[in-house]
Amino acid sequence: MYLNVHSQYSLRYGTMAIKTLVEEAQGRGITQMVMTDINNSTGIMEFMRECRANRIKPIGGMEFRRDKKLLYIGIARNREGMKELNDFLSLHNLEQKELPDEPFPFKHAYVVYPFGHKGELKSNEYIGVRFDELHQLYNKDLQHLEAKLVVLQPVFVASKIGYRLHEYLRGIDLNTLITMVEKEDKCKETDTFLQPGELEAKFVKYAFILDNTRKLMDHCTMDYPEGKVNLNRKTFTGNRKDDKALLEKLAMEGMLYRYGSKNREALQRVKKELKVIVELNFCAYFLITNDIIQYSMRRGYYHVGRGSGANSIVAFCLRITDVDPLELDLYFERFLNAERTSPPDFDIDYSWDEREDVQDYIFKRYGREHTALLGTMSTFKDRSIIREIGKVMGLPKSEIDGFTDASKAITNRDNDTYKKIMAIYKLMGNMPNQRSIHAGGVLISEEPITYYTALDLPPKGMPTVQWDMYEAELIGYDKYDILSQRGLGHIKEAVKLVEQNQHKTVDIHQVRQFMKDDNLNKRLKTGNTIGCFYIESPAMRQLLTKLTCDNYLTLVAASSIIRPGVAQSGMMKTYIQNFHQHDTVKYLHPVMEELLKDTFGVMVYQEDVIKVCIHYGGMSGTDADILRRGMSGKCRSRIEFDRLVEKFHEGAAGLNRPEEITREVWRQVSSFAGYSFSKAHSASFAVESYQSLYLKTYYPIEFMVGVLNNYGGFYTRWLYVHELQKAGAKVHLPCINKSSSVVSITGSDAYLGFVGIQGLENKLMDQITDERKLMGPFLDLENFVRRTEIKLEQAVILIRCGAFRFTGKSKKALLWDVHTLLGQQVKPSNHAELFHVEAKHYVLPNLENTKLEDAYHELELLGFPLSLSMFDLLKTSYRGDIRTNELNKHMGQTVRMVGLYVCEKTVYTKNNKKMWFGTFLDADGNFFDTTHFPNSTPLYPFRGMGCYLILGKVVEDFGFPSIEVQKFAKLDIVDNPVMA
């Protein structure tokens, strides 16, 4: 009798998880029901799985609402009906049209209107009657409606607590007080599963309504196959035999390209992999990925193939990846094996400004009916929801601030209001909050994808499924990860700039040659890597120095041990120590020595952990694969992962491993639970790092401009400008006759772009460059005003940042002129003047600017000064007792240094106290690092950008010097002369 059941996927309305919903129904003896979430079908496939597992007949449907008002309910007779409902909603979502008062004439779905619907009903349309509406049927002639009335008992909540939670959800959704939520904006307290027989009893006088409802439900069968089915595009060519032949042909051609004709090891590995790929029916997956790569290469796009896919020599031969699995001894089974319980995946990175075109190609190539972006589901887990609950309760901001202040946690524990908030937060924590879009997953389906989901149109502008990667996998889809990153943008832009500025062609794909280049490896060893992909952060530069990293293989290891899982377990320090003293390494067990000799007894990669679990713990390959997914954060819950703890210990005991050693081995294994890389993934990152290193070493100016123009990287913009100056460029302030939107270079002259100017409108940036191309350089301020549609406020910004210095006039004189010009309401003109009338000129007092004033303008408008350095702005001339290059001479001594703040990192000690790591530049522009321990540090030591006086002890860790801070204070700068 339940035609209108809702799960928590009725976002900010429904309260029950699907598992809970099914358990509630089972407890009341319900044998069939229809799930109809509001304007979505997110949970339909999950609903079917849960119902079938509990011997309840599932029926799919959807409730359609417009402006929070119920229009009608769609109920699928079968999978074709579910597709019709999904298609109907998708059409309106994708075309951004309002839902109509009446739906399309469905062929395989029923429509139920709310009671009171006017108009003629089609053969598949009904009117739903709630039990509290039955009195309106009294004394009415129902003959014409007798066959059209059905029971409408909505289900949103399971209990009174659930109803209260529903009210909070509605308050959060409507951004109002819980007491202000109107009746029509929430469900009724009776919108729940009733006790067995209770609903039938309420309709006892209208038995025909009960009969109509049963008849409707009995006609519905969700004829989807049970169990997991492969729903991906099954062939590339249309024929599996042809797929096999094509993949073999392309792999062999690629092997000749990568290895030549005489490499027997490569040939054997290719043949072995092809056999597994064919047996597991993954030819189409490889061919489709290859097709995407070939398209992007034809377009001249750079890509990086990473993730476990880089373990495959076939992928290497197809140029999906640039990582040689033979060179790194990567085993294919990490990517694809007969026991594998989940699909493989390639992660393909493109430059941030090229990915969308690649995605567009996939949609056009494989059809919009069969292609969609993967969705994600955010939950209420974020503690910021505590603030939302407080607002709904009507609490004052000061009180809410106190509840969200971590430092008041102990005090809050005894507060009754706080307890209430936390009780609600606990109920809400795992509930879905809103649908969003996955970072890069694309699905390519054999049949129309709307059999399984309706489609959303997020800001990305491409159809997106209404469920996430976990559900996609359970349903039977493999995703193609088409990702973007700024690092590739740096490389692409730098290569283009080298060609434009130096008229040289750079083949950035000659990575093997780069790896043998002494100049690159020397730079790597010293950590001089600012701007280089993945190896520029303070922690990574320290690690490179500590490892004296001067080769590709060491860099691959460094790319993995920098991950939090290794670092937090203490194994990063062990690795560095063992790296330098590999002859004295003490292995936990002979098996561990056999498995981990290459990594000096430390588990560095996911592969290492899997090997340890199999060979030390006696686990199966399937369990090791589950463990791998747990490590990479792809397990939906911790239950599966935690189950392996017991299995590991039992297996180790069965192999007579010492219990004490087993506990330590497991400690190291479990430290990878949240963070670790596959070796292939680290190798892919290292390839891109070498490409960046090559450009930074031989074309440093072009490279740093590329970094600046792609707005990516670990550091803030001013540091990259500093690095550009260190590279030998003369960096100029923006200029209306020289600058474009982004940083531009000619020779060694670099002009900052308009994009970096605070408050400047985008349309004006484009207009300046377009007008200059069309009509030539601007002659002076007046000419500029007449040729553009500039407003006074925008003109003042350009003058203050120095963009008119080519006129030879001071900023103050120009500001006087622009007020005069725009005060006369000069009308802009986009065409050449027929007659030029000389403006009247007035004699003004001497209006000069100082460098100090300029520096303050730049601080305000650019975020950093260029006319003077931050050191020049200090009130004191003191620059410290020593500089960075003298640290090694003062080891163990207490010194004073002056440093310009670059960045900081907060970490927690074992006692849960905060400590910090800082990074600074000295007055020579060289980096040094600081450590701030809790006992010698105020609550929060840093006070933003500026120079600091630092007193501390010089210490060394594996050859890397730093300062253990004892005292620390920000230094004052001279006053702004304008404010004075």
Side-chain angles (χ1 to χ4, degrees):
M1 298 299 139
Y2 292 93
L3 300 177
N4 190 209
V5 175
H6 304 81
S7 77
Q8 57 189 7
Y9 291 121
S10 289
L11 300 177
R12 302 187 178 198
Y13 210 111
T15 59
M16 286 184 279
I18 288 175
K19 188 175 180 64
T20 305
L21 189 151
V22 172
E23 286 171 354
E24 287 285 332
Q26 189 181 45
R28 286 165 174 74
I30 295 166
T31 57
Q32 59 179 348
M33 59 178 168
V34 189
M35 193 173 82
T36 55
D37 278 320
I38 298 169
N39 292 348
N40 79 84
S41 56
T42 302
I44 289 297
M45 306 308 292
E46 181 185 348
F47 174 69
M48 285 196 287
R49 287 196 303 274
E50 284 292 332
C51 282
R52 285 168 172 171
N54 289 276
R55 298 183 181 179
I56 294 174
K57 176 183 169 183
I59 303 170
M62 205 182 304
E63 181 175 304
F64 296 95
R65 293 195 178 209
R66 183 183 66 217
D67 298 329
K68 303 185 182 67
K69 179 188 173 187
L70 170 61
L71 298 173
Y72 31 80
I73 298 157
I75 300 172
R77 279 176 42 206
N78 48 37
R79 74 194 296 268
E80 294 298 329
M82 199 65 232
K83 182 178 183 297
E84 284 182 337
L85 298 177
N86 284 333
D87 282 336
F88 173 68
L89 181 65
S90 299
L91 175 72
H92 290 84
N93 284 347
L94 300 183
E95 295 188 1
Q96 296 180 299
K97 290 180 177 177
E98 280 192 343
L99 289 166
D101 292 337
E102 296 183 0
F104 299 158
F106 299 132
K107 294 180 181 178
H108 302 279
Y110 298 114
V111 176
V112 178
Y113 290 100
F115 189 69
H117 171 76
K118 307 294 183 187
E120 194 172 332
L121 296 172
K122 301 181 182 69
S123 61
N124 67 324
E125 295 182 338
Y126 296 82
I127 290 177
V129 184
R130 298 169 60 107
F131 69 77
D132 54 6
E133 295 170 333
L134 286 172
H135 66 279
Q136 297 184 52
L137 300 180
Y138 181 72
N139 239 359
K140 294 274 178 73
D141 179 12
L142 301 176
Q143 191 172 353
H144 67 293
L145 274 178
E146 192 167 316
K148 291 293 186 179
L149 297 179
V150 292
V151 175
L152 185 60
Q153 172 57 30
V155 176
F156 285 100
V157 300
S159 61
K160 287 184 178 179
I161 292 174
Y163 184 72
R164 194 60 174 164
L165 174 61
H166 165 79
E167 290 185 304
Y168 276 101
L169 289 170
R170 298 309 300 135
I172 290 170
D173 186 48
L174 298 167
N175 194 25
T176 189
L177 299 176
I178 193 169
T179 53
M180 300 292 286
V181 178
E182 303 287 346
K183 276 187 178 181
E184 58 269 22
D185 286 327
K186 58 184 178 181
C187 72
K188 297 185 178 183
E189 288 190 63
T190 54
D191 286 352
T192 185
F193 289 120
L194 303 181
Q195 292 302 318
E198 187 179 350
L199 188 59
E200 289 82 352
K202 291 182 182 294
F203 281 84
V204 69
K205 293 182 180 179
Y206 298 93
F208 66 91
I209 299 180
L210 295 171
D211 291 340
N212 292 344
T213 309
R214 287 193 195 96
K215 188 176 176 183
L216 184 153
M217 296 178 81
D218 289 344
H219 277 103
C220 297
T221 304
M222 299 303 282
D223 50 345
Y224 287 84
E226 294 193 34
K228 188 173 176 179
V229 181
N230 179 10
L231 300 174
N232 303 291
R233 173 80 176 250
K234 290 184 169 55
T235 69
F236 177 72
T237 62
N239 179 291
R240 283 190 176 178
K241 188 177 178 183
D242 290 344
D243 274 8
K244 176 178 179 289
L246 178 59
L247 182 60
E248 287 173 347
K249 176 177 178 291
L250 293 173
M252 291 303 174
E253 288 175 356
M255 191 196 71
L256 288 173
Y257 167 76
R258 292 291 198 184
Y259 295 105
S261 58
K262 297 179 181 178
N263 193 319
R264 288 193 174 186
E265 185 187 3
L267 179 62
Q268 287 174 352
R269 173 80 176 254
V270 168
K271 285 181 175 179
K272 176 189 169 187
E273 283 194 17
L274 285 170
K275 185 174 182 292
V276 177
I277 292 165
V278 170
E279 286 173 355
L280 295 179
N281 295 321
F282 278 111
C283 289
Y285 186 80
F286 273 78
L287 288 169
I288 290 170
T289 305
N290 175 69
D291 175 56
I292 295 166
I293 296 297
Q294 292 303 313
Y295 167 77
S296 63
M297 288 173 69
R298 288 195 300 273
R299 297 280 289 170
Y301 298 161
Y302 294 167
H303 75 276
V304 170
R306 57 180 175 85
S308 60
N311 286 59
S312 165
I313 197 171
V314 171
F316 182 57
C317 292
L318 295 178
R319 298 179 73 175
I320 294 170
T321 79
D322 279 319
V323 174
D324 183 349
L326 295 186
E327 181 184 25
L328 289 172
D329 190 28
L330 304 176
Y331 62 106
F332 177 62
E333 289 75 11
R334 162 65 181 83
F335 174 59
L336 197 61
N337 60 71
E339 288 187 322
R340 186 168 173 135
T341 57
S342 58
D345 68 289
F346 289 112
D347 296 336
I348 311 296
D349 283 335
Y350 288 98
S351 175
W352 62 275
D353 56 348
E354 293 171 349
R355 176 176 70 156
E356 205 164 307
D357 181 64
V358 175
Q359 289 174 325
D360 185 59
Y361 168 76
I362 296 170
F363 274 88
K364 288 184 170 69
R365 174 74 172 81
Y366 298 98
R368 287 191 169 257
E369 269 201 336
H370 299 264
T371 312
L373 299 183
L374 189 58
T376 59
M377 190 70 69
S378 66
T379 68
F380 286 109
K381 273 183 181 176
D382 191 329
R383 283 181 64 87
S384 64
I385 199 63
I386 293 171
R387 187 171 292 280
E388 296 297 316
I389 297 168
K391 283 164 61 178
V392 167
M393 292 171 68
L395 302 179
K397 183 178 181 299
S398 57
E399 190 173 0
I400 296 172
D401 289 344
F403 291 152
T404 55
D405 186 345
S407 67
K408 297 181 180 178
I410 297 173
T411 312
N412 288 333
R413 260 185 280 175
D414 299 324
N415 184 295
D416 289 339
T417 305
Y418 180 74
K419 287 178 185 176
K420 186 176 181 180
I421 290 176
M422 293 311 294
I424 299 161
Y425 172 67
K426 191 174 180 181
L427 288 172
M428 215 178 271
N430 290 316
M431 290 182 68
N433 181 14
Q434 58 187 25
R435 295 190 302 276
S436 186
I437 185 170
H438 184 268
V442 180
L443 304 179
I444 302 176
S445 179
E446 178 71 17
E447 55 187 343
I449 210 160
T450 48
Y451 276 112
Y452 302 94
T453 177
L455 300 170
D456 289 328
L457 189 71
K460 186 78 180 170
M462 295 180 183
T464 302
V465 299
Q466 293 189 325
W467 24 251
D468 60 20
M469 59 184 277
Y470 304 105
E471 183 65 12
E473 186 182 324
L474 289 168
I475 292 170
Y477 282 110
D478 306 338
K479 63 181 167 59
Y480 297 80
D481 277 318
I482 310 300
L483 303 159
S484 72
Q485 51 142 295
R486 298 277 172 170
L488 281 172
H490 302 168
I491 293 168
K492 178 195 72 169
E493 175 110 351
V495 170
K496 184 180 76 175
L497 289 170
V498 170
E499 193 169 323
Q500 291 172 355
N501 197 41
Q502 299 199 32
H503 309 293
K504 292 181 181 177
T505 302
V506 175
D507 185 354
I508 203 63
H509 301 290
Q510 299 298 313
V511 181
R512 288 193 178 190
Q513 292 179 25
F514 301 165
M515 292 172 185
K516 298 171 187 173
D517 189 316
D518 288 340
N519 291 328
L520 271 62
N521 288 322
K522 183 180 177 183
R523 179 178 291 275
L524 190 61
K525 185 177 180 179
T526 57
N528 186 1
T529 54
I530 300 297
C532 296
F533 175 76
Y534 202 69
I535 55 173
E536 65 165 336
S537 71
M540 193 62 176
R541 290 188 299 104
Q542 286 182 34
L543 179 59
L544 294 173
T545 306
K546 291 173 184 178
L547 286 173
T548 57
C549 177
D550 62 356
N551 62 80
Y552 173 59
L553 293 178
T554 305
L555 179 58
V556 172
S559 298
S560 191
I561 66 171
I562 195 69
R563 299 283 288 170
V566 192
Q568 288 172 2
S569 68
M571 297 313 293
M572 182 167 79
K573 187 170 185 178
T574 303
Y575 182 90
I576 300 168
Q577 192 170 311
N578 292 356
F579 176 85
H580 289 293
Q581 301 170 1
H582 51 84
D583 293 336
T584 62
V585 174
K586 292 182 180 178
Y587 293 91
L588 287 169
H589 189 276
V591 172
M592 299 294 279
E593 181 175 6
E594 185 183 335
L595 297 173
L596 302 175
K597 192 147 192 173
D598 289 345
T599 54
F600 316 109
V602 176
M603 286 176 272
V604 170
Y605 310 109
Q606 289 179 1
E607 289 90 337
D608 295 333
V609 183
I610 291 169
K611 285 189 286 186
V612 167
C613 287
I614 293 171
H615 299 290
Y616 181 91
M619 296 173 74
S620 69
T622 301
D623 283 340
D625 191 52
I626 295 169
L627 176 64
R628 176 192 66 79
R629 292 178 65 73
M631 289 187 299
S632 58
K634 292 179 181 176
C635 256
R636 202 164 200 174
S637 74
R638 293 277 305 179
I639 296 172
E640 280 183 312
F641 186 83
D642 292 340
R643 178 177 63 84
L644 298 177
V645 178
E646 190 177 340
K647 225 172 188 184
F648 176 86
H649 283 84
E650 287 173 357
L655 293 169
N656 297 316
R657 313 296 192 209
E659 188 177 336
E660 190 177 332
I661 291 174
T662 298
R663 279 200 299 270
E664 174 56 21
V665 171
W666 181 258
R667 185 192 72 78
Q668 293 179 24
V669 167
S670 60
S671 74
F672 281 69
Y675 307 94
S676 64
F677 277 172
S678 70
K679 190 174 183 181
H681 194 88
S682 294
S684 302
F685 274 18
V687 165
E688 192 175 340
S689 298
Y690 262 98
Q691 291 175 318
S692 296
L693 274 170
Y694 174 78
L695 291 165
K696 182 174 176 67
T697 302
Y698 293 106
Y699 306 101
I701 292 176
E702 289 82 2
F703 177 69
M704 290 316 304
V705 171
V707 172
L708 281 161
N709 287 348
N710 282 273
Y711 284 84
F714 185 88
Y715 302 98
T716 50
R717 192 165 179 79
W718 74 264
L719 185 76
Y720 295 120
V721 173
H722 168 75
E723 283 291 312
L724 179 57
Q725 291 172 318
K726 279 179 68 175
K730 185 177 181 182
V731 180
H732 301 272
L733 290 164
C735 173
I736 61 162
N737 277 335
K738 298 282 188 180
S739 294
S740 59
S741 294
V742 295
V743 182
S744 55
I745 52 167
T746 305
S748 60
D749 285 308
Y751 281 85
L752 296 180
F754 297 124
V755 170
I757 303 174
Q758 294 291 321
L760 199 65
E761 295 174 357
N762 288 335
K763 65 178 183 179
L764 179 61
M765 300 177 199
D766 295 334
Q767 190 181 0
I768 291 170
T769 52
D770 291 345
E771 171 65 21
R772 206 170 63 213
K773 285 175 188 173
L774 186 67
M775 303 298 292
F778 297 103
L779 304 177
D780 52 30
L781 176 62
E782 181 188 354
N783 179 254
F784 177 80
V785 169
R786 291 184 179 278
R787 287 167 58 183
T788 61
E789 296 178 359
I790 196 162
K791 297 172 186 172
L792 179 61
E793 179 191 354
Q794 294 288 292
V796 167
I797 290 172
L798 285 171
I799 290 169
R800 291 179 70 230
C801 77
F804 287 92
R805 62 192 178 280
F806 75 95
T807 62
K809 289 188 172 185
S810 72
K811 290 180 186 177
K812 290 174 183 174
L814 288 164
L815 287 169
W816 182 284
D817 290 346
V818 81
H819 279 84
T820 304
L821 286 165
L822 290 175
Q824 295 173 348
Q825 296 182 330
V826 176
K827 291 183 179 179
S829 173
N830 289 328
H831 52 77
E833 293 175 286
L834 191 59
F835 302 104
H836 178 68
V837 180
E838 287 289 335
K840 292 181 181 179
H841 295 281
Y842 301 92
V843 178
L844 298 173
N846 189 25
L847 301 173
E848 291 298 328
N849 283 85
T850 66
K851 278 200 170 187
L852 182 58
E853 288 173 315
D854 290 340
Y856 265 100
H857 290 157
E858 292 152 19
L859 266 172
E860 178 190 343
L861 297 170
L862 300 177
F864 57 91
L866 195 65
S867 300
L868 296 172
S869 76
M870 287 301 295
F871 287 98
D872 294 330
L873 293 179
L874 290 176
K875 284 185 175 179
T876 177
S877 60
Y878 180 67
R879 298 293 180 262
D881 294 341
I882 65 167
R883 305 287 172 91
T884 301
N885 57 12
E886 301 171 278
L887 282 172
N888 286 321
K889 299 175 186 174
H890 294 80
M891 208 58 63
Q893 298 176 19
T894 299
V895 299
R896 287 197 306 171
M897 294 185 74
V898 173
L900 173 59
Y901 170 84
V902 174
C903 63
E904 77 205 51
K905 181 181 180 182
T906 308
V907 296
Y908 285 87
T909 66
K910 289 179 181 178
N911 300 326
N912 205 31
K913 290 184 177 180
K914 282 184 181 180
M915 65 175 290
W916 292 266
F917 295 102
T919 300
F920 296 84
L921 292 180
D922 67 12
D924 298 329
N926 296 319
F927 286 94
F928 67 94
D929 294 85
T930 58
T931 304
H932 306 251
F933 290 109
N935 297 335
S936 59
T937 306
L939 190 62
Y940 182 71
F942 300 98
R943 295 290 179 268
M945 185 180 175
C947 293
Y948 291 77
L949 179 60
I950 302 159
L951 177 72
K953 182 181 176 183
V954 182
V955 295
E956 178 207 12
D957 189 27
F958 297 105
F960 186 87
S962 62
I963 308 289
E964 284 186 359
V965 176
Q966 297 164 3
K967 289 186 178 180
F968 184 72
K970 188 174 181 181
L971 294 171
D972 292 332
I973 59 174
V974 294
D975 294 332
N976 185 342
V978 176
M979 300 299 290

